[in-house]
């Protein structure tokens, strides 16, 4: 069953959504739980859009409302995290043809809070720009956020080109976003797939940790 917050988000009840978020944050509730309820609302808005109960206008309004809710939630996320040294570099992008960025922005925030250096190329990014930036920044991770099926081929194109340029093995590639599945990961040639930003952060932390252990054992 949906929570009141989820239902109000689906109904696009802006005032109720924002006042409940503020109230629950003030009461000290876990910001990630509040975020999950908002995210569930967005998934259900997507269902309504698919079923033609909602149109583009509702999709846009829900996006704006989610963003406003996240603006309230984000400052509280930091309180639950530990500050530390830079753990690694990650390059993020939503590839050409796709302008969805709400999930990518959340991932970027969570990664920064964990001490990663985040380079966010934004949305609708040309595949060649991603390759140029990989060469320039030399990140440990490349993360694609994907909400449209039309992005699968351009993401695959980037990974194929990285392979040809001999750059693929130097980085771990993640793909996430509501429409992605393990099959998408295999199709494009990524290393990891999720529809949960926290799992993505966890993956990066584990990979960085195992790299540090290998270096230590190797005496580097
Ligand atoms: C909001 C929304 C919009 C907003 C986007 C606003 C914005 N600034 O992002 C607007 C109105 C602009 C929009 C436009 C369109 N949309 Co839209 N949209 C949505 C909706 C309702 C919610 C998406 C969202 O933000 N969810 C909340 C976030 C937090 O979830 P998330 O992105 O999945 O992210 C989480 C995880 O997946 C993860 N994550 C995300 N990225 C990454 C990356 C990595 C590396 C990792 C580790 C994790 C990770 O972290 C997040 C937190 O856990 C979805 C429905 C859905 N079920 O997803 C449709 C949906 C994605 N849209 C859809 C469509 C069709 C469109 C349009 C084509 C509609 C049109 N006719 O114009 C356009 C496309 C425009 C374009 N060229 O991109 C379809 C896509 C169908 C498909 N199979 O391709 C969906 C699925 C709706 C549907 N059911 O039909 N949309």
């Amino acid at each position: 069953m949906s929570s009141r917050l989820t239902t109000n988000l689906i109904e696009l009840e802006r005032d109720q959504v924002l006042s409940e978020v503020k109230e629950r944050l003030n009461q000290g509730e876990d910001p990630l739980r509040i975020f999950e309820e908002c995210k569930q609302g967005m998934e259900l808005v997507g269902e309504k859009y698919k079923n033609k109960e909602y149109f583009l206008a509702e999709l846009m309004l829900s996006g704006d409302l989610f963003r406003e809710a996240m603006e309230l939630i984000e400052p509280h996320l930091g309180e639950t995290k530990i500050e530390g040294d830079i753990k690694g570099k990650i390059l993020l992008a939503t590839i050409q043809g796709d302008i969805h960025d709400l999930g990518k922005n959340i991932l970027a925030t969570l990664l920064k809070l964990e001490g990663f250096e985040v380079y966010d190329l934004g949305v609708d990014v040309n595949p060649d720009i991603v390759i140029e930036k990989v060469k320039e920044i030399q990140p440990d991770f490349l993360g694609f956020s994907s909400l449209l099926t039309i992005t699968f081929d351009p993401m695959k194109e980037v990974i194929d080109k990285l392979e040809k340029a001999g750059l693929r093995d130097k980085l771990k590639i993640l793909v996430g976003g509501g429409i992605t599945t393990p099959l998408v990961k295999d199709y494009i040639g990524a290393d990891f797939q999720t529809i949960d930003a926290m799992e993505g952060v966890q993956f990066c932390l584990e990979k960085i940790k195992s790299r540090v252990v290998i270096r230590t054992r190797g005496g580097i």
Side-chain angles (χ1 to χ4, degrees):
M1 212 186 77
S2 297
S3 71
R4 186 178 55 190
L5 180 58
T6 303
T7 308
N8 278 333
L9 197 140
I10 303 165
E11 304 285 329
L12 304 170
E13 295 286 358
R14 182 177 175 275
D15 294 347
Q16 272 101 316
V17 167
L18 298 182
S19 64
E20 180 168 345
V21 170
K22 274 185 213 154
E23 202 179 299
R24 287 171 58 179
L25 286 168
N26 286 339
Q27 284 165 1
E29 198 174 319
D30 181 358
L32 282 176
R33 199 168 125 188
I34 304 173
F35 155 68
E36 283 301 336
E37 288 178 29
C38 293
K39 189 186 156 209
Q40 199 193 348
M42 295 302 279
E43 280 157 20
L44 295 167
V45 167
E47 286 301 307
K48 283 188 180 286
Y49 176 77
K50 203 162 83 185
N51 299 335
K52 300 192 168 32
E53 279 175 69
Y54 275 5
F55 298 97
L56 194 56
E58 283 90 355
L59 213 57
M60 289 169 78
L61 286 171
S62 70
D64 288 345
L65 182 49
F66 182 83
R67 193 189 303 280
E68 282 186 90
M70 278 313 293
E71 277 165 13
L72 296 172
I73 295 170
E74 271 178 15
H76 293 260
L77 287 173
E79 291 167 9
T80 61
K81 303 284 168 181
I82 311 147
E83 298 290 324
D85 295 334
I86 298 290
K87 295 212 176 76
K89 289 193 243 175
I90 179 161
L91 186 64
L92 295 179
T94 300
I95 208 81
Q96 206 158 49
D98 190 350
I99 60 161
H100 294 85
D101 66 355
L102 299 174
K104 174 179 62 56
N105 297 345
I106 292 160
L107 175 70
T109 303
L110 295 175
L111 284 164
K112 282 180 206 158
L113 292 169
E114 282 294 347
F116 286 89
E117 205 171 314
V118 179
Y119 296 82
D120 187 350
L121 299 181
V123 296
D124 195 17
V125 183
N126 183 300
D128 290 332
I129 302 280
V130 180
I131 293 157
E132 263 173 46
K133 291 290 170 186
V134 167
K135 287 181 185 158
E136 182 189 318
I137 295 162
Q138 300 184 1
D140 304 285
F141 303 95
L142 168 61
F144 287 117
S145 185
S146 159
L147 271 295
L148 295 180
T149 43
I150 54 160
T151 61
F152 300 163
D153 282 320
M155 288 190 293
K156 182 172 164 33
E157 181 190 328
V158 171
I159 298 176
D160 288 348
K161 284 186 175 169
L162 287 173
E163 185 93 55
K164 282 203 184 100
L167 298 165
R168 173 67 182 90
D169 293 342
K170 295 190 173 70
L171 76 170
K172 293 286 173 208
I173 302 182
L174 298 82
V175 62
I179 55 143
T180 62
T181 63
L183 277 177
V184 173
K185 177 200 86 157
D186 292 342
Y187 175 71
I188 68 170
D191 299 301
F192 181 79
Q193 178 276 330
T194 182
I195 53 165
D196 179 341
M198 280 311 287
E199 281 183 14
V201 174
Q202 209 49 44
F203 173 82
C204 295
L205 284 171
E206 276 160 23
K207 290 294 161 199
I208 283 289
K209 220 191 299 166
S210 60
R211 199 174 295 182
V212 171
V213 172
I214 290 164
R215 277 195 195 139
T216 313
R217 284 202 187 125
I220 304 164

